[in-house]
């Protein structure tokens, strides 16, 4: 429930910004938010890094998150090559 509420809040904010702000301002704001979310997404596994190093096992990293990140990176790579 907490993730759903957070996601809904972010989507609502982005849609309101896109609908009410001038296009250049909205684009800049939404772009900066996207970068911030990407930094948080790619930085979040670092919290488990100590445990991974100590146990010498990647079990502390959630598989769905890892697969989603790999798929995201692959998709952007294909987009960049096109």
């Amino acid at each position: 429930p907490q993730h759903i509420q957070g996601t809904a809040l972010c989507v609502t904010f982005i849609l309101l910004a896109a609908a009410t702000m001038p296009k250049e301002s909205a684009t800049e704001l939404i772009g900066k938010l996207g970068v911030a979310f990407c930094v948080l997404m790619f930085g979040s596994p670092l919290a488990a890094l100590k445990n991974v190093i100590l146990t010498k096992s990647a079990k502390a990293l959630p598989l769905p998150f890892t697969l989603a990140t790999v798929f995201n990176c692959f998709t952007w790579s294909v987009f960049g090559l096109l």
Side-chain angles (χ1 to χ4, degrees), residues 22-69:
K23 184 177 180 180
E24 288 183 15
S25 299
T27 303
E28 185 173 335
L29 177 65
I30 293 169
K32 287 180 179 180
L33 285 173
V35 169
F37 283 127
C38 281
V39 168
L40 290 173
M41 182 184 79
F42 284 107
S44 63
L46 294 176
L49 187 59
K50 182 180 177 182
N51 189 22
V52 169
I53 292 172
L54 291 175
T55 62
K56 297 180 181 172
S57 171
K59 288 184 179 180
L61 299 174
L63 183 61
F65 174 80
T66 305
L67 293 176
T69 302

